[in-house]
Amino acid sequence: MSDIPVNGSAEPAGAAPARGLSATLVLALGTFAVGTDAFVVAGFLPAMAGSLDVSESAAGQSVTVFAAAYAVLSPVLATACARVPRRTLLVGALLVLAAANLCSALAPDFPVLMASRVLAAAGAAAFTPGAGAVAAALAPPERRARALAVVIGGLTMATALGVPLGTLAERAVDWRTALGLVAALCAVCALGVYAVMPPLPGGAPVPLRARLGALRRPGVLAVLPLTALGMGAGYTVYAYTVPVLADVGVGASGVVWMLCLYGTGAVAGNFAAGLATDRWGAVRVLAVGYALMAAGLGALALSAAAGLRFLPLTAAAMMAWGASSWCQTPPQQHRLISAAPQETALVVGLNASAIYTGIGLGTLLGGVLLPLGTAEAATAGAALAVAALAWLAGTRRYR
């Protein structure tokens, strides 16, 4: 993260803050594009599977590959690109994302699609951490937290609403056109970053060994796996939400509404978790979240197994699932920063890798179990949520 000031004396008073605000908003749009890119394909899953002549569970592995590649590449690219000027890095990362999405849109077969998702993950892994660091560097000290919240909020909104957006878009365009539009959005963001962001030099390189050295701290080593476990629970059936909802009796007209309930719950859960963590502590918030997740996914599993077609129950389960999936990040980051207060940037970066590791593993598990039935896949998610609750109980002393 660069701490180089940008409020130079050559600019009139008030010009630098205004420029910093513009850059922050453009960077937030960029993180929104990254999040949309990662998960919008889930809304097109049945059509994508049919077009590429693969099963829905196989098509869903495009989300797994993206998440796994992001988790692995994020610390590697942060080390390799440390000295690259920030504007050059961010513009380049967005152009890589644009090219990767264009390749995905034009993919003639499934292997080409999967390769393009790895390329997209590389662009996302280079852009997202850099965008947060630049937003904090451009903002005045008293506004840095808000600037970071705005930038990361773009990613949170897109991740929570990716499947609903894809499902809505499916009514107007096909999946190839949707990915082409994401490519165009990434290109527009690249132009915006180049136009409004002031030049910033790269930072001092932090060796990969040092980045991973935080794992030697007992508190970090105890807390970090919970991020992967909890996100794996929440994402076991996320990429397959459209067929899952069909299996519990939600018609085509109701799918969008159910997905919007999930997204609403996700945004509300993320916001409420930050406030609740400050008031009641991270462990209590996480405990409530994992219990709620187990209940929501358990309700979906019960509905599928028993053939229930009770829409109010499904609606409540979707909101609970969304809220619990995205209430995890604020309290988990709070615990990690408390465990390693001198290594905040490193542990937050490791937590981001753990998030995508969990997403990848959860989606992989869901893809394996979905052919057996929705009940089995959702039950696995609920079981992982219970396991997360047990892990939390064992690590609660690391506050």
Side-chain angles (χ1 to χ4, degrees):
M1 172 176 172
S2 175
D3 293 321
I4 297 175
V6 295
N7 299 340
S9 58
E11 290 186 300
R19 192 176 189 185
L21 176 60
S22 299
T24 298
L25 293 176
V26 171
L27 292 172
L29 183 61
T31 58
F32 181 82
V34 169
T36 302
D37 173 33
F39 296 107
V40 72
V41 295
F44 291 90
L45 205 58
M48 178 184 287
S51 175
L52 296 174
D53 196 26
V54 296
S55 67
E56 290 182 1
S57 59
Q61 297 310 307
S62 62
V63 177
T64 302
V65 166
F66 182 100
Y70 185 108
V72 172
L73 291 173
S74 183
V76 174
L77 291 176
T79 301
C81 301
R83 293 188 181 275
V84 178
R86 299 297 91 181
R87 184 169 66 182
T88 301
L89 174 64
L90 295 180
V91 170
L94 286 168
L95 291 178
V96 168
L97 268 169
N101 277 283
L102 188 59
C103 288
S104 296
L106 299 175
D109 52 39
F110 190 60
V112 173
L113 174 72
M114 297 294 268
S116 69
R117 301 320 293 156
V118 173
L119 182 63
F127 178 81
T128 305
V134 166
L138 290 176
E142 69 275 9
R143 296 181 183 176
R144 281 179 180 168
R146 278 173 284 180
L148 185 59
V150 170
V151 171
I152 301 304
L155 181 63
T156 301
M157 288 286 290
T159 306
L161 300 176
V163 174
L165 287 172
T167 305
L168 284 171
E170 188 184 23
R171 300 188 173 201
V173 298
D174 62 13
W175 68 272
R176 295 183 184 275
T177 302
L179 287 175
L181 292 173
V182 174
L185 176 60
C186 292
V188 169
C189 290
L191 290 174
V193 170
Y194 183 81
V196 307
M197 182 178 156
L200 283 175
V206 178
L208 184 60
R209 179 178 296 180
R211 292 181 182 276
L212 300 179
L215 293 174
R216 291 193 295 267
R217 290 181 174 268
V220 174
L221 191 58
V223 173
L224 198 60
L226 182 60
T227 296
L229 185 59
M231 294 305 292
Y235 275 77
T236 302
V237 291
Y238 179 79
Y240 315 102
T241 308
V242 174
V244 164
L245 287 173
D247 203 30
V248 295
V250 179
S253 60
V255 168
V256 173
W257 293 108
M258 290 295 176
L259 291 172
C260 286
L261 287 176
Y262 173 95
T264 301
V267 174
N270 185 69
F271 176 75
L275 298 176
T277 297
D278 288 335
R279 183 168 183 178
W280 292 299
V283 172
R284 290 182 179 179
V285 173
L286 288 168
V288 172
Y290 294 133
L292 191 63
M293 186 186 299
L297 290 173
L300 288 177
L302 177 63
S303 295
L308 295 177
R309 298 295 183 264
F310 188 50
L311 291 183
L313 176 62
T314 303
M318 292 297 290
M319 285 202 72
W321 177 22
S324 58
S325 293
W326 282 98
C327 78
Q328 304 176 62
T329 304
Q332 272 295 91
Q333 287 189 342
H334 185 276
R335 296 179 79 206
L336 285 166
I337 292 170
S338 298
Q342 304 305 318
E343 299 172 298
T344 296
L346 296 182
V347 295
V348 169
L350 289 172
N351 195 54
S353 291
I355 287 173
Y356 277 91
T357 298
I359 290 173
L361 292 176
T363 306
L364 178 62
L365 177 63
V368 171
L369 293 177
L370 190 65
L372 301 178
T374 292
E376 287 77 4
T379 298
L384 286 178
V386 173
L389 193 58
W391 186 287
L392 176 66
T395 62
R396 62 184 182 277
R397 68 187 179 93
Y398 296 102
R399 298 177 185 271

